Amino acid sequence: MVREPDIHICEVAARDGLQNLDVFVPTEAKCALIDAIAAAGVREIDAGSFVPPKVVPQFADVDVVMAHALSHQDKRIGALVPNFKGAERAIAAGVNSIYFVISASETHNRANVRRTVDEQVEAFRAVRAAIDARPAAERPQLMGAISTSFGCSLEGDISEAAVCNLARRFAEAGADEIGLADTVGYATPTLVRQIVSAVRCEVGPDVTLRLHLHDTLGAGLANAVAGLEAGIRRFDAAVSGLGGCPFAPGARGNIVTEDLVFMLERMGLSTGIDLDRLMQTREILARHIAAKHLTGHLHEAGIPKVLRRAA
């Protein structure tokens, strides 16, 4: 029997990692990236977003990429959706998870999905109803993702009350999981502990929480540790630190999956991920993406031999 890892990591490079690039990554490269991530032992992959190509051209091939990703039947394959139409496409594609995004920042929500927060909550309820109308075996998990949970480049500070209110509404509407996203990387360890604790109190102990962290100001891994201290055991991350939001000025990459895995394993926490194989994803990315977009301390320094022996 395979032991469950202590920490669950969802790899988001194929979606969040690519959405902000100014170059189209070929379909075959996206599929090769997903294959390499799966081969490294990652159990959940955010493989794309069902959005209009005119809004995010990078996902013009999402149907083909998603079909390929779903060939990895032992993995949980998910997709981000901004609205009910996107969710319909994701359900039809057969995804295992749907990540429905609403911003705690009203301004960012309008910029991101062209709707008010209230309108977006109603759309989420409609998605929940559409999923529940399907046979039980065909229902994808539905996560409510709260963007700008720790700050917004358009509004600045976001109140704890705004995040908790949206978390409560997600929970009441039937979210299987709630994700707290540091969309622009403004979080600090203190703020992470504060918001996670407040949301946990708001929604109760039975709702699963995860963190989606960016490293805009260099605090990404410190914030991950703060999340661990607050009880989080599920994290999003992107190989080579890819990522950013087209509708959040100044947003930079996600926390680096390779660095996160190394840190967690050195802390004695299992991830179930083969770090050496994960490091090989850099070769695929480097063929199509400028070096300035690829980050990661392990890629710069390597893994010291003495630490490999200690592991």
Side-chain angles (χ1 to χ4, degrees), residues 65-90:
V65 172
M66 198 63 63
H68 180 83
L70 286 164
S71 69
H72 294 282
Q73 296 182 11
D74 61 333
K75 308 299 181 184
R76 177 165 293 280
I77 304 300
L80 181 139
V81 304
N83 51 39
F84 182 78
K85 183 176 181 179
E88 283 187 313
R89 292 177 62 195

Side-chain angles (χ1 to χ4, degrees), residues 204-276:
D206 297 330
V207 178
T208 301
L209 301 181
R210 80 163 68 185
L211 278 180
H212 177 102
L213 301 170
H214 284 243
D215 200 35
T216 307
L217 301 177
L221 288 185
N223 291 333
V225 172
L228 288 171
E229 294 171 346
I232 296 293
R233 294 296 180 267
R234 300 173 70 84
F235 294 88
D236 291 348
V239 290
S240 291
L242 286 173
C245 175
F247 307 104
R252 296 189 63 186
N254 292 271
I255 53 174
V256 181
T257 311
E258 299 92 326
D259 293 353
L260 178 64
V261 169
F262 180 75
M263 181 188 76
L264 291 170
E265 296 282 350
R266 289 287 295 166
M267 292 172 68
L269 298 167
S270 65
T271 63
I273 295 173
D274 184 322
L275 185 56
D276 288 319

Side-chain angles (χ1 to χ4, degrees), residues 121-140:
V121 169
E122 289 308 307
F124 180 84
R125 293 182 185 278
V127 173
R128 177 76 268 173
I131 291 174
D132 290 344
R134 301 179 67 84
E138 299 177 11
R139 296 173 189 169

Side-chain angles (χ1 to χ4, degrees), residues 36-232:
I37 291 166
V42 176
R43 299 187 176 202
E44 182 177 0
I45 302 171
D46 182 357
S49 184
F50 286 95
V51 294
K54 66 179 180 181
V55 178
V56 186
Q58 191 67 251
F59 299 126
D61 57 356
V62 66
D63 292 297
V64 175
V65 172
M66 198 63 63
H68 180 83
L70 286 164
S71 69
H72 294 282
Q73 296 182 11
D74 61 333
K75 308 299 181 184
R76 177 165 293 280
I77 304 300
L80 181 139
V81 304
N83 51 39
F84 182 78
K85 183 176 181 179
E88 283 187 313
R89 292 177 62 195
I91 293 169
V95 303
N96 309 126
S97 293
I98 290 176
Y99 316 120
F100 191 98
V101 60
I102 307 178
S103 300
S105 161
E106 186 76 48
T107 305
H108 180 264
N109 200 74
R110 289 177 181 272
N112 194 32
V113 297
R114 308 295 191 270
R115 289 179 178 82
T116 66
V117 169
D118 286 345
E119 289 170 336
Q120 197 69 343
V121 169
E122 289 308 307
F124 180 84
R125 293 182 185 278
V127 173
R128 177 76 268 173
I131 291 174
D132 290 344
R134 301 179 67 84
E138 299 177 11
R139 296 173 189 169
Q141 283 198 328
L142 179 59
M143 183 182 83
I146 305 179
S147 294
T148 64
S149 290
F150 304 95
C152 174
S153 55
L154 301 172
E155 285 192 13
D157 292 336
I158 299 298
S159 71
E160 176 185 304
V163 181
C164 286
N165 178 60
L166 187 49
R168 175 181 51 76
R169 296 175 78 180
F170 265 139
E172 291 174 347
D176 296 310
E177 184 177 2
I178 294 174
L180 302 174
D182 185 21
T183 309
V184 292
Y186 288 0
T188 64
T190 299
L191 185 59
V192 168
R193 286 188 289 265
Q194 173 191 331
I195 295 297
V196 170
S197 297
V199 169
R200 172 56 67 209
C201 289
E202 186 71 30
V203 301
D206 297 330
V207 178
T208 301
L209 301 181
R210 80 163 68 185
L211 278 180
H212 177 102
L213 301 170
H214 284 243
D215 200 35
T216 307
L217 301 177
L221 288 185
N223 291 333
V225 172
L228 288 171
E229 294 171 346
I232 296 293

